[in-house]
Amino acid sequence: ETLQRIVSTLANKNDEIHNFIDMLNHTIKNVQENSSNVISELDEEFDGLYSILDEMKGTMTNTIQQEEARKIQALQNQLSQCSSALESSEELLEIAARSLDIKDPVEFSKVENIKLIVTMASAFRISLKPKVSDSMTHLMVDFSLERRMLQAVKFLPVPKAPEIDLAACLVADNCVTVSWRMPEEDNRIDHFVLEYRKTNFDGLPRVKDEQCWELIDYIKASEYTLSGLKFDTKYMNFRVQACNKAVAGEYSDPVTLETKAFVFNLDNTSSHLNLKVEDTYVEWDPTGGKGQEKIKGKENKGRSGTPSPKRTSFSPRSLMRGSRDRFTGESYTVLGDTAIESGQHYWEVRAQKDCKSYSVGVAYKNLGKFDQLGKTNSSWCIHINNWLQTTFSAKHNNKARTLDIPVPDRVGVYCDFDGGQLTFYNANSKQLLYTFRTKFTQPLLPGFMVWCGGLTLSTGLQVPSAVKTLQKSENGLSGSVGSLNNVAQ
């Protein structure tokens, strides 16, 4: 026995090592892929920087060329004015010289206004100073500061990995609140990224047989609540990384939180033929019985009269259920396919608005095919009848107790197998509807009856915190139990 324990321990250790080797190989592959990704991102950053510099160079070059054109245009205008004035002055000088050569006073008097013309010459009004300077130094640049900044460019400091605070994490009401903190203050953190995945393995995440991580990005706070979950696995892995404006840090050490809940489907192999059954939905079909009885006869009996292979299926759940005939007669019943043998469990049921009659409860596996929920000592239920007038009652062992409370849209069922308690709640308000107290001596199956309507199940639910709170105070409400309490046979 000692050797067997050692061998078993070693085999388990080998499995852990194999799993760790797979994780290391996976990590090596990730390092290579991430390095390539980072180099590509670096190329993109430098290409972007080059693009900005090229754009700035083009803009500045254009500014210089515009300044050059403006100055040249101003100087050319001034040059044109000087040339025109010079040409005009030379003509006046020539006229004035000819006038000075006239000796006859009479003749000279005829050109006496030449003095006024020469005095008004444009040459006297021209500035002989250039309107613009030939200097372009005002458009020079000094990149010494930028050069020092570029030379100082280094890899951004990577944010440290956050630390998930297990004590502050909470799993309740099909929600998970994950809380974390940074190992040291970092005011450059912009946001956090949370990843999670469902698993059936406790401890470290495994590479094989695991679902992909689901991601929630841009979390500004240091905690996050995942709501509306279906807990159809035993655990969930979580990890968090911090991100600044440009780079993400390493992920935190992953943590595993327990998320056990009661998950079951409807057992369509034993349901009444007038019921259409899917995994979590059942609907009454008035034509099902006639149309399916012949099919049932053909399926269940061969030439030798023995059950067909379909009826002798040996799946794990069928072995757990045991063989049973379909419900028949007026027992429009279907049971769940997973037994309750211990612990506390919770599920919810919603009826169609026009549903005429339905029951919700539990039953032992030996419930007969003609039996109706609540009319035997092996079944417990609440029954809602909307035919002609609405009645609401709790039923067990063919005894009924009328419930003088409104019928809720959705019914919550809480079963404490070990504590011998079956309680029904208004699933919206968590108002107590009725409680059965007994001692369960056999495994229980969820049970449902429906006539003229349909029911939708919600499974994979944890016991709501409001229900847990009510359980503490319900022990003193003996009046809600009444004569239907019994010790189960």
Side-chain angles (χ1 to χ4, degrees):
E1 290 177 356
T2 302
L3 178 59
Q4 186 174 8
R5 287 197 299 271
I6 294 173
V7 169
S8 177
T9 302
L10 181 59
N12 291 336
K13 190 63 178 179
N14 286 347
D15 288 341
E16 292 179 3
I17 294 174
H18 279 300
N19 183 56
F20 186 62
I21 289 173
D22 290 339
M23 183 177 291
L24 289 177
N25 288 327
H26 187 68
T27 303
I28 290 172
K29 182 180 178 181
N30 284 345
V31 168
Q32 294 171 338
E33 292 179 353
N34 291 339
S35 296
S36 298
N37 292 337
V38 169
I39 291 174
S40 297
E41 291 176 1
L42 184 65
D43 288 339
E44 290 179 4
E45 290 293 334
F46 272 92
D47 289 342
L49 187 59
Y50 299 151
S51 177
I52 291 173
L53 290 173
D54 287 339
E55 184 178 351
M56 290 178 60
K57 179 182 177 181
T59 301
M60 289 182 168
T61 301
N62 187 48
T63 300
I64 294 172
Q65 290 172 345
Q66 289 178 353
E67 180 70 0
E68 175 191 10
R70 184 187 70 81
K71 286 192 172 187
I72 289 175
Q73 183 64 44
L75 292 172
Q76 284 180 342
N77 290 340
Q78 194 174 12
L79 179 62
S80 178
Q81 290 176 358
C82 289
S83 298
S84 297
L86 183 61
E87 182 179 353
S88 175
S89 295
E90 289 176 348
E91 290 179 357
L92 288 175
L93 286 174
E94 185 178 348
I95 295 173
R98 287 198 302 267
S99 299
L100 289 173
D101 290 337
I102 298 175
K103 303 300 181 180
D104 184 5
V106 177
E107 289 295 328
F108 184 80
S109 63
K110 294 180 179 179
V111 292
E112 188 176 2
N113 61 347
I114 190 63
K115 181 176 67 173
L116 179 62
I117 295 174
V118 172
T119 303
M120 298 299 295
S122 59
F124 291 118
R125 298 189 300 274
I126 288 180
S127 172
L128 298 181
K129 180 181 178 181
K131 287 187 177 181
V132 295
S133 168
D134 60 353
S135 173
M136 299 290 285
T137 56
H138 63 290
L139 295 177
M140 298 294 291
V141 295
D142 179 10
F143 283 127
S144 57
L145 176 61
E146 287 77 8
R147 187 176 293 108
R148 287 195 298 271
M149 291 176 61
L150 288 172
Q151 290 171 345
V153 169
K154 298 178 181 178
F155 292 109
L156 272 176
V158 178
K160 293 185 179 298
E163 298 173 352
I164 296 179
D165 185 1
L166 269 175
C169 295
L170 179 64
V171 180
D173 300 319
N174 282 67
C175 299
V176 178
T177 298
V178 185
S179 181
W180 59 86
R181 57 176 175 265
M182 294 300 295
E184 59 186 46
E185 186 176 354
D186 187 349
N187 56 13
R188 288 168 294 195
I189 298 298
D190 179 68
H191 65 275
F192 296 94
V193 176
L194 172 67
E195 290 192 345
Y196 68 96
R197 63 182 176 186
K198 297 179 180 181
T199 176
N200 284 313
F201 303 105
D202 193 4
L204 292 174
R206 304 186 177 199
V207 175
K208 292 183 177 180
D209 303 323
E210 287 286 4
Q211 299 184 27
C212 294
W213 290 99
E214 296 188 58
L215 182 144
I216 299 174
D217 205 350
Y218 296 104
I219 301 173
K220 295 296 184 178
S222 58
E223 71 172 25
Y224 189 84
T225 298
L226 291 166
S227 58
L229 298 172
K230 181 176 181 180
F231 290 151
D232 48 6
T233 53
K234 295 181 180 179
Y235 305 96
M236 289 182 70
N237 300 139
F238 295 91
R239 64 184 186 182
V240 184
Q241 68 177 166
C243 306
N244 55 32
K245 291 290 186 180
V247 64
E250 294 292 330
Y251 280 100
S252 65
D253 291 334
V255 300
T256 301
L257 301 179
E258 185 176 358
T259 57
K260 291 182 180 178
F262 185 44
V263 181
F264 68 92
N265 291 324
L266 296 174
D267 178 14
N268 60 358
T269 64
S270 62
S271 65
H272 195 286
L273 288 171
N274 281 102
L275 299 181
K276 289 182 178 180
V277 176
E278 297 179 4
D279 290 343
T280 57
Y281 179 75
V282 54
E283 183 178 14
W284 188 74
D285 178 12
T287 65
K290 296 180 181 179
Q292 296 181 36
E293 280 291 348
K294 295 181 181 179
I295 299 175
K296 175 189 171 187
K298 293 180 181 179
E299 286 181 349
N300 293 344
K301 291 185 180 182
R303 294 181 179 179
S304 61
T306 59
S308 69
K310 183 176 181 181
R311 299 293 294 160
T312 57
S313 171
F314 291 100
S315 67
R317 288 192 169 182
S318 67
L319 288 174
M320 178 275 299
R321 292 193 297 266
S323 299
R324 70 153 58 249
D325 291 328
R326 285 184 179 272
F327 289 101
T328 189
E330 294 184 356
S331 180
Y332 303 114
T333 303
V334 60
L335 301 178
D337 63 359
T338 304
I340 300 173
E341 300 183 5
S342 63
Q344 301 176 20
H345 307 280
Y346 180 84
W347 60 97
E348 295 179 353
V349 183
R350 182 191 293 273
Q352 291 179 348
K353 291 184 178 181
D354 58 350
C355 190
K356 295 295 187 292
S357 178
Y358 62 95
S359 298
V360 178
V362 297
Y364 289 152
K365 295 180 182 179
N366 61 4
L367 189 67
K369 65 179 183 178
F370 292 100
D371 292 337
Q372 299 180 29
L373 288 178
K375 292 191 175 183
T376 68
N377 64 354
S378 61
S379 61
W380 299 258
C381 73
I382 57 171
H383 177 73
I384 295 90
N385 180 22
N386 291 318
W387 181 250
L388 299 180
Q389 63 180 5
T390 299
T391 59
F392 190 17
S393 59
K395 292 185 176 182
H396 169 65
N397 202 18
N398 207 25
K399 296 178 181 178
R401 177 163 183 169
T402 300
L403 305 180
D404 189 18
I405 48 180
V407 178
D409 295 333
R410 203 166 79 243
V411 175
V413 184
Y414 167 76
C415 179
D416 181 0
F417 187 91
D418 302 316
Q421 181 175 338
L422 178 67
T423 304
F424 300 90
Y425 292 92
N426 180 325
N428 295 319
S429 65
K430 299 303 182 288
Q431 175 194 5
L432 175 66
L433 301 178
Y434 195 82
T435 295
F436 291 102
R437 296 186 188 277
T438 186
K439 181 180 179 181
F440 298 119
T441 59
Q442 300 179 37
L444 294 168
L445 290 171
F448 310 89
M449 185 283 295
V450 60
W451 177 69
C452 290
L455 301 177
T456 301
L457 278 64
S458 296
T459 69
L461 306 179
Q462 290 187 319
V463 179
S465 56
V467 169
K468 292 181 180 178
T469 302
L470 286 171
Q471 290 306 307
K472 297 178 181 179
S473 59
E474 191 197 350
N475 294 329
L477 301 177
S478 58
S480 68
V481 180
S483 60
L484 296 187
N485 290 351
N486 78 309
V487 176
Q489 301 298 318

